[in-house]
Amino acid sequence: MSNPAPLVDPFQRAISYLRVSVTDRCDFRCVYCMSENMTFLPKKELLTLEELDRMCSAFVRLGVSKLRITGGEPLVRREIMTFFRSMSRHLDSGALEELTLTTNGSQLSRFADDLFAAGVRRVNVSLDTLDEDKFARVTRWGRLPQVLKGIDAAQAAGLRVKINVVALKGFNEEELFSLADWCASRDMDLTFIEVMPMGDLGGEDRVGQYWSLDDLQAQLASRFTLTDLPERTGGPARYVRVEETGQKIGLITPLTHNFCESCNRVRLTCTGELFMCLGQEDNADLRSALRGSEADAPLEEAIRRAISLKPKGHDFDYSRQKADGQVSRHMSHTGG
Ligand code: SAM
Ligand code: SF4
């Protein structure tokens, strides 16, 4: 089979990274992500596991080399290991460089070994606090010991773990150093994320929650010598090295620093919509193209059309003390 032309958007950005939300459901209800009473999509709206496979395989044929599985909570989707196992054929063929996932960690003790066997080598685990009560408050339904057990299982299985922390003003500010020390002591990478204005959460105060990572970095710098690292991954993260410990800390700052010029990624929802930009409403319906024909050519054509519409960037802006550029969907829908 001849190699098809790679995916390049109108701003000459090569698209090599697909994030796939495999479910909008979750066993937690994090306050910045979901409301307590979420209405989830009817099952028939979801792509089946076979359809997800066909969809992801089409992207891999078109040059996507990195696949991140997310949600909702990806590990609560029934039979999700069948999907991971089937995607591993693209790792075996060399077409895919990396298969990875973002998880809340609640199901990792069940699945860590299976994930490793399917070729997964790294997982991102979201964890905003090491205090059991605060954890219960921020996730509403989560239990910290279960997640810590999951992280133990992941490391025991040989998975490299990165901890993602949403920086929340007045919530985990005082845990900055304890989180950094904990990650360093367990040889885990650490990334902080600025809270983004996604979805209507029934009166949650976005501006009040917002803790600028410039402030966070200044606090880190009060104790450590930080060196900016040139390394970029095509996404919103930038990295600093803590000279005293060698630890690398990521900062995802969509609000204070624009990252769009190097964006290499698109996001597929569990219903087969492709979001070309996390911060814009524009999307393309790939499910119709997929269900409309057993041949893959119309789907590949629809993917190319969608990529040709990828916008230049997002419009999030808190500078006027309100959540400008807010998008109406929840993070769990697009996949964070
Ligand atoms: N359930 C999995 C988890 O929590 O890791 C995967 C999906 S979750 C939507 C992906 C990431 O998005 C998590 O790290 C979460 O903390 C982050 N997230 C959710 N809502 C957010 C928001 N409004 N602003 C910034 N990050 C958010
Ligand atoms: Fe669930 Fe992840 Fe959203 Fe928390 S951030 S509610 S764990 S999808």
Side-chain angles (χ1 to χ4, degrees):
M1 194 177 64
S2 64
N3 276 345
L7 296 169
V8 178
D9 81 356
F11 305 95
Q12 300 308 311
R13 297 171 297 195
I15 305 305
S16 57
Y17 183 7
L18 177 68
R19 298 172 76 102
V20 185
S21 171
V22 295
T23 177
D24 62 334
R25 288 164 200 253
C26 188
D27 50 347
F28 292 0
R29 290 289 181 279
C30 302
V31 295
Y32 46 75
C33 179
M34 293 193 181
S35 59
E36 185 136 33
N37 303 307
M38 291 289 288
T39 309
F40 292 111
L41 293 162
K43 293 238 165 68
K44 65 177 188 335
E45 293 289 317
L46 299 193
L47 297 179
T48 64
L49 292 178
E50 293 73 23
E51 287 174 331
L52 276 169
D53 184 325
R54 229 184 113 196
M55 195 73 93
C56 293
S57 300
F59 275 95
V60 171
R61 272 196 305 281
L62 296 177
V64 161
S65 59
K66 182 170 172 184
L67 209 55
R68 176 174 295 279
I69 309 307
T70 175
E73 174 46 43
L75 297 181
V76 302
R77 170 111 193 218
R78 198 183 296 254
E79 296 300 330
I80 193 64
M81 280 308 134
T82 311
F83 172 73
F84 275 100
R85 275 192 290 274
S86 118
M87 280 299 106
S88 70
R89 73 186 187 277
H90 297 305
L91 290 170
D92 296 340
S93 77
L96 200 57
E97 284 166 22
E98 188 171 44
L99 174 62
T100 176
L101 79 155
T102 300
T103 173
N104 65 23
S106 69
Q107 309 299 316
L108 269 179
S109 30
R110 272 167 73 201
F111 292 126
D113 288 329
D114 292 345
L115 287 167
F116 190 88
V120 174
R121 293 293 175 265
R122 296 196 302 156
V123 289
N124 288 0
V125 180
S126 307
L127 177 66
D128 303 327
T129 172
L130 290 170
D131 177 289
E132 226 177 301
D133 292 337
K134 280 164 74 180
F135 187 85
R137 242 188 301 139
V138 76
T139 61
R140 291 200 188 98
W141 294 4
R143 285 175 38 250
L144 181 63
Q146 186 181 347
V147 171
L148 296 180
K149 259 197 356 231
I151 293 171
D152 288 341
Q155 289 194 301
L159 297 168
R160 176 120 196 111
V161 176
K162 181 165 74 112
I163 301 294
N164 279 346
V165 177
V166 176
L168 296 165
K169 202 179 191 105
F171 178 76
N172 52 13
E173 278 171 298
E174 73 270 18
E175 287 189 79
L176 176 57
F177 294 111
S178 48
L179 280 164
D181 291 344
W182 180 68
C183 288
S185 72
R186 300 191 53 136
D187 190 26
M188 299 187 296
D189 295 323
L190 169 63
T191 289
F192 292 98
I193 309 176
E194 277 176 350
V195 72
M196 287 181 262
M198 309 284 296
D200 176 6
L201 301 182
E204 282 289 329
D205 174 10
R206 299 305 191 163
V207 178
Q209 286 177 342
Y210 175 56
W211 176 19
S212 149
L213 293 196
D214 279 354
D215 283 2
L216 183 149
Q217 187 171 346
Q219 287 188 36
L220 274 178
S222 70
R223 185 171 127 189
F224 295 126
T225 315
L226 303 179
T227 307
D228 286 328
L229 296 177
E231 153 182 1
R232 299 294 308 216
T233 53
R238 62 197 169 83
Y239 297 91
V240 294
R241 187 176 51 236
V242 177
E243 293 302 343
E244 287 79 358
T245 61
Q247 189 179 16
K248 194 173 83 174
I249 295 183
L251 301 162
I252 300 190
T253 51
L255 302 165
T256 46
H257 296 271
N258 205 298
F259 53 85
C260 303
E261 67 286 348
S262 59
C263 182
N264 63 354
R265 60 200 58 196
V266 288
R267 294 170 161 85
L268 184 72
T269 69
C270 53
T271 55
E273 297 160 294
L274 189 73
F275 281 87
M276 284 74 85
C277 172
L278 178 65
Q280 301 282 358
E281 304 277 1
D282 308 351
N283 66 83
D285 167 23
L286 297 183
R287 188 178 62 183
S288 305
L290 177 116
R291 291 188 175 167
S293 166
E294 279 180 18
D296 285 326
L299 173 61
E300 290 181 11
E301 192 40 47
I303 293 173
R304 284 194 189 285
R305 231 183 357 259
I307 299 299
S308 77
L309 299 173
K310 183 167 161 69
K312 195 166 181 194
H314 69 73
D315 299 315
F316 292 147
D317 181 7
Y318 283 125
S319 60
R320 287 180 286 273
Q321 291 303 301
K322 62 186 177 68
D324 279 356
Q326 178 154 346
V327 290
S328 60
R329 62 187 188 278
H330 291 96
M331 190 70 107
S332 53
H333 182 62
T334 330

